[in-house]
Amino acid sequence: MDKQPFFHEQPRDGRQIVYIGDANHAVSPFSGNGANLALMDACDLADQLCGCPSLHDAIKKYDQLSMPRAQKSLRFSHIAIAGVHSTSWRNWMVQMLIRFIGLLVPRR
Ligand SMILES: Cc1cc2nc3c(=O)[nH]c(=O)nc-3n(C[C@H](O)[C@H](O)[C@H](O)COP(=O)(O)OP(=O)(O)OC[C@H]3O[C@@H](n4cnc5c(N)ncnc54)[C@H](O)[C@@H]3O)c2cc1C
């Protein structure tokens, strides 16, 4: 249950809507990352609006920062859901791996 991010297009009537956070790229709650993405989007958009000479440039640069980040997070969430949140043999494998790593980590 997620949504791929999208680039903003040049508005035809001069009015621009900028979609940030879940409005642009809703990730599954199981990814545990949607709020962080939304906060980073807000900071990056504010930075670009302050630093760019035009709205068009600001949104273009914002998209270049936001899109790859959201795509990476979506990819990672699919891996996490397939492993950690699964009820199949994959979950068993992940649990075994975590226990194995736990044995290797020295305890105080
Ligand atoms: C069960 C669950 C667990 C989650 N766990 C995590 C987690 O552990 N870590 C994490 O990072 N993320 C988590 N998330 C994801 C995170 O909550 C969202 O990605 C994040 O809140 C998105 O922020 P946002 O500002 O884009 O959208 P939202 O937080 O959804 O904010 C949008 C706001 O707009 C308001 N609104 C909507 N329509 C209108 C309108 N027409 N007029 C005025 N206001 C409107 C809404 O009421 C809402 O307040 C979880 C999500 C869920 C559902």
Side-chain angles (χ1 to χ4, degrees):
M1 301 291 280
D2 51 30
K3 179 170 168 283
Q4 289 294 330
F6 57 88
F7 278 110
H8 292 87
E9 288 173 14
Q10 182 92 15
R12 292 197 188 122
D13 60 0
R15 293 185 296 180
Q16 178 79 58
I17 297 173
V18 186
Y19 295 88
I20 67 171
D22 276 10
N24 187 277
H25 45 67
V27 289
S28 162
F30 290 111
S31 80
N33 212 12
N36 300 314
L37 285 176
L39 288 167
M40 286 190 273
D41 283 357
C43 287
D44 283 341
L45 180 60
D47 276 349
Q48 298 310 323
L49 288 173
C50 290
C52 287
S54 72
L55 181 62
H56 175 67
D57 285 352
I59 293 170
K60 200 172 161 192
K61 285 197 174 155
Y62 161 75
D63 276 342
Q64 286 166 359
L65 294 168
S66 168
M67 281 275 291
R69 180 169 58 218
Q71 282 167 336
K72 190 175 161 194
S73 187
L74 275 171
R75 275 197 303 275
F76 178 77
S77 76
H78 292 173
I79 294 167
I81 290 163
V84 182
H85 298 287
S86 132
T87 52
S88 69
W89 58 270
R90 282 198 192 104
N91 182 270
W92 183 84
M93 292 279 288
V94 169
Q95 284 192 31
M96 287 300 127
L97 183 66
I98 290 168
R99 280 185 199 165
F100 179 68
I101 291 169
L103 290 175
L104 297 178
V105 175
R107 297 196 182 166
R108 291 179 190 181

Coordinates of all heavy atoms in Angstrom, one line a residue, residues 20-23 25-39, ligand 1:
I20 N 4.1 17.6 -1.3 CA 5.2 17.1 -0.5 C 4.7 16.0 0.5 O 3.5 15.9 0.7 CB 6.0 18.2 0.3 CG1 5.1 18.8 1.4 CG2 6.5 19.3 -0.7 CD1 5.8 19.7 2.3
G21 N 5.6 15.2 1.1 CA 5.2 14.2 2.0 C 4.3 13.1 1.4 O 4.5 12.8 0.2
D22 N 3.4 12.7 2.2 CA 2.5 11.6 1.7 C 1.7 12.0 0.5 O 1.4 11.1 -0.3 CB 1.5 11.2 2.8 CG 2.1 10.2 3.8 OD1 3.3 10.0 3.8 OD2 1.3 9.7 4.6
A23 N 1.5 13.2 0.3 CA 0.7 13.7 -0.9 C 1.5 13.3 -2.2 O 0.9 13.1 -3.2 CB 0.4 15.2 -0.8
H25 N 4.3 10.9 -2.2 CA 4.8 9.6 -2.1 C 4.5 8.9 -0.8 O 5.3 8.7 0.1 CB 6.4 9.6 -2.3 CG 7.0 10.7 -1.4 ND1 7.0 10.6 -0.1 CD2 7.6 11.8 -1.7 CE1 7.6 11.6 0.4 NE2 8.0 12.4 -0.6
A26 N 3.2 8.4 -0.7 CA 2.8 7.7 0.5 C 3.6 6.4 0.6 O 3.6 5.6 -0.3 CB 1.4 7.5 0.5
V27 N 4.3 6.2 1.7 CA 4.9 4.9 2.0 C 4.1 4.1 3.0 O 3.4 4.7 3.8 CB 6.4 5.1 2.4 CG1 7.3 5.6 1.3 CG2 6.5 6.0 3.6
S28 N 4.3 2.8 3.0 CA 3.6 2.0 4.0 C 4.0 2.4 5.4 O 5.2 2.7 5.6 CB 3.9 0.5 3.7 OG 3.6 -0.2 4.8
P29 N 3.1 2.3 6.3 CA 3.5 2.5 7.7 C 4.6 1.6 8.2 O 5.4 1.9 9.1 CB 2.2 2.3 8.5 CG 1.1 2.4 7.5 CD 1.6 2.1 6.2
F30 N 4.6 0.4 7.6 CA 5.7 -0.6 7.9 C 7.1 -0.2 7.6 O 8.0 -0.7 8.1 CB 5.3 -2.0 7.3 CG 4.1 -2.6 7.9 CD1 3.0 -2.7 7.2 CD2 4.2 -3.1 9.2 CE1 1.9 -3.3 7.7 CE2 3.1 -3.6 9.8 CZ 1.9 -3.8 9.0
S31 N 7.2 0.8 6.7 CA 8.5 1.3 6.3 C 9.1 2.1 7.5 O 10.3 2.3 7.6 CB 8.5 2.1 5.1 OG 8.1 3.4 5.3
G32 N 8.2 2.7 8.3 CA 8.7 3.5 9.4 C 9.5 4.7 9.0 O 10.4 5.2 9.7
N33 N 9.1 5.3 7.8 CA 10.0 6.4 7.3 C 9.2 7.5 6.7 O 9.8 8.5 6.3 CB 10.9 5.7 6.2 CG 12.2 6.4 6.1 OD1 12.6 7.2 6.9 ND2 12.9 6.2 5.0
G34 N 7.9 7.4 6.6 CA 7.1 8.4 6.0 C 7.2 9.8 6.6 O 7.2 10.8 5.9
A35 N 7.2 9.9 7.9 CA 7.3 11.2 8.6 C 8.6 11.8 8.3 O 8.7 13.0 8.1 CB 7.0 11.0 10.1
N36 N 9.7 11.0 8.4 CA 11.0 11.6 8.1 C 11.1 12.1 6.7 O 11.6 13.2 6.4 CB 12.1 10.5 8.3 CG 12.1 9.9 9.7 OD1 12.0 10.7 10.6 ND2 12.1 8.6 9.8
L37 N 10.5 11.4 5.7 CA 10.5 11.9 4.3 C 9.7 13.2 4.2 O 10.2 14.1 3.5 CB 9.8 10.8 3.4 CG 10.6 9.6 3.1 CD1 9.8 8.6 2.2 CD2 11.9 9.9 2.3
A38 N 8.6 13.3 4.9 CA 7.8 14.5 4.8 C 8.5 15.7 5.4 O 8.5 16.8 4.8 CB 6.5 14.3 5.6
L39 N 9.2 15.4 6.5 CA 10.0 16.5 7.1 C 11.1 17.0 6.2 O 11.4 18.2 6.1 CB 10.5 16.1 8.5 CG 9.5 16.0 9.6 CD1 10.1 15.2 10.8 CD2 9.0 17.3 10.0
Ligands
LIG1 C1 -0.3 3.6 11.4 C2 0.8 4.4 10.9 C3 2.1 4.3 11.4 C4 3.2 5.1 11.0 N1 4.4 4.9 11.5 C5 5.4 5.7 11.1 C6 6.7 5.6 11.8 O1 6.9 4.8 12.7 N2 7.7 6.4 11.3 C7 7.5 7.3 10.3 O2 8.4 8.1 9.9 N3 6.3 7.4 9.7 C8 5.2 6.6 10.1 N4 4.0 6.7 9.4 C9 3.9 7.6 8.3 C10 3.7 9.1 8.7 O3 2.6 9.2 9.6 C11 3.3 9.8 7.4 O4 4.2 9.5 6.4 C12 3.4 11.3 7.7 O5 2.5 11.7 8.7 C13 3.1 12.1 6.4 O6 3.1 13.5 6.7 P1 2.3 14.5 5.8 O7 2.5 15.8 6.4 O8 2.8 14.3 4.4 O9 0.8 14.0 5.8 P2 -0.2 14.0 7.1 O10 0.6 13.8 8.4 O11 -1.2 13.0 6.7 O12 -0.8 15.5 7.1 C14 -1.7 15.9 6.2 C15 -2.7 16.8 7.0 O13 -3.6 17.4 6.1 C16 -4.9 17.4 6.6 N5 -5.8 17.6 5.5 C17 -6.2 16.6 4.6 N6 -7.0 17.1 3.7 C18 -7.2 18.4 4.1 C19 -8.0 19.4 3.5 N7 -8.8 19.3 2.5 N8 -8.0 20.6 4.1 C20 -7.2 20.9 5.2 N9 -6.4 19.9 5.8 C21 -6.4 18.7 5.2 C22 -5.0 16.1 7.4 O14 -6.0 16.2 8.4 C23 -3.6 16.0 8.0 O15 -3.5 16.7 9.2 C24 2.9 6.0 9.9 C25 1.7 6.1 9.3 C26 0.6 5.3 9.8 C27 -0.7 5.5 9.2

